[in-house]
Amino acid sequence: MTEHPRNIIPASDVPAIDATPGDQVQPEAAPEKYPDGINPRWDVAQIATRGHVLVGRLEYLFDKVKLPSIWLWFLLLVLTWLMLNGKINNFGPQVMRLDSAGTFQRLLTYDPTTYFDIGGGLRAGPDLAWLGRYAPTPESLSVANHEALITAVVADSGKFGTKVDDWVAVPELKTQPTVTRPAKAFAKNSAELRNGVVSVPEDGGRDIIVAAYVEGRWAFTIVRGDACGTMVGPVVKPCSDETNSDGRWSNMVVSTINTLKPKE
């Protein structure tokens, strides 16, 4: 028998019968570089689930509308304040006309000039609401005594102006009023309103204001020289009638009375 030479090959060098390119050992590929080390196909998919995406979108939208919504609420508050204080009277009624029965109008609107009770049967707007802290008391002047007070102040003002030291008619009154400066009329002398408080301006002012309780009601009179005007209360004969029969307050009356308002 003829002997044939054999070439022995290691088993590791012999390819498998079902070998495919995918089963063969491939050279190690260089790792792919991603921005910030994040693989968009795997890492992002694990973190950015559908829930995360929806929440993120909502947070983004809220962040964008947060500042405009704050300004919108502020604008609504300003408009509401202006409407309730009568600054834009036409706005309220136009909206309320949608309510044919007028129910909402009665509930949500009011007359700002007669909202606050200031005592003595009178109501006023927010500018004169402070008078409510000094509501008239039963202890007060009679109509006759009040008329005598106004007559005396007019007489002295016509002759001597605001030079109180020269006045002669007021010191002769049976019921003596308190003569003071406007800043002290209510701040220091509100208890003397039952006898009348005469506020004399300084620094060249001409308008003298007489405030008093008359038969448990308010009375305000403005005196300038030998002329006078009744703003609130019983009208004195020598004075012009500056009162309003409908209970409303003129801008002149409001601004004049507010010169007596105590500082907060």
Side-chain angles (χ1 to χ4, degrees):
M1 179 179 295
T2 306
E3 185 176 341
H4 298 283
R6 297 180 179 180
N7 294 327
I8 300 174
I9 303 174
S12 59
D13 295 339
V14 179
I17 297 175
D18 59 348
T20 61
D23 294 325
Q24 296 179 2
V25 178
Q26 300 292 330
E28 185 175 354
E32 186 175 354
K33 294 182 179 180
Y34 299 105
D36 300 324
I38 298 177
N39 185 341
R41 294 186 178 180
W42 175 254
D43 297 324
V44 175
Q46 296 300 309
I47 300 175
T49 62
R50 182 173 180 78
H52 285 93
V53 172
L54 294 177
V55 171
R57 289 176 178 175
L58 289 176
E59 291 179 346
Y60 175 80
L61 291 176
F62 286 143
D63 184 65
K64 291 297 183 182
V65 302
K66 179 172 62 177
L67 186 59
S69 63
I70 292 175
W71 282 107
L72 178 61
W73 277 109
F74 178 75
L75 178 61
L76 291 176
L77 289 175
V78 171
L79 289 176
T80 303
W81 182 88
L82 291 175
M83 184 182 71
L84 295 180
N85 283 275
K87 308 298 183 182
I88 47 176
N89 290 330
N90 293 331
F91 177 76
Q94 288 178 357
V95 175
M96 296 306 167
R97 286 196 193 103
L98 300 176
D99 176 27
S100 58
T103 304
F104 293 112
Q105 182 176 2
R106 290 192 297 271
L107 290 175
L108 302 178
T109 62
Y110 63 91
D111 185 353
T113 61
T114 59
Y115 183 76
F116 294 94
D117 184 358
I118 62 173
L122 292 181
R123 304 183 71 83
D127 292 336
L128 293 179
W130 62 272
L131 286 174
R133 303 196 301 266
Y134 308 95
T137 61
E139 185 179 2
S140 54
L141 293 173
S142 64
V143 173
N145 287 340
H146 177 251
E147 185 170 345
L149 169 61
I150 300 302
T151 302
V153 174
V154 171
D156 283 338
S157 174
K159 291 181 180 179
F160 308 106
T162 57
K163 297 180 180 179
V164 178
D165 294 338
D166 297 336
W167 285 9
V168 294
V170 172
E172 293 179 355
L173 290 171
K174 182 178 180 180
T175 302
Q176 279 294 302
T178 298
V179 181
T180 184
R181 298 299 185 188
K184 298 180 180 179
F186 280 80
K188 301 291 184 182
N189 301 286
S190 61
E192 302 303 321
L193 288 167
R194 64 185 186 275
N195 297 324
V197 175
V198 181
S199 62
V200 182
E202 50 189 344
D203 300 332
R206 295 187 300 166
D207 294 341
I208 300 171
I209 304 174
V210 182
Y213 298 154
V214 179
E215 295 187 348
R217 294 179 177 273
W218 283 109
F220 289 95
T221 307
I222 183 171
V223 178
R224 177 182 294 178
D226 58 356
C228 60
T230 300
M231 298 182 293
V232 181
V235 181
V236 181
K237 288 181 180 179
C239 302
S240 61
D241 186 357
E242 303 295 337
T243 62
N244 288 329
S245 58
D246 60 358
R248 294 180 178 273
W249 303 73
S250 67
N251 292 333
M252 183 275 292
V253 172
V254 172
S255 60
T256 301
I257 295 177
N258 271 336
T259 60
L260 309 178
K261 181 180 180 180
K263 294 182 179 180
E264 300 295 341

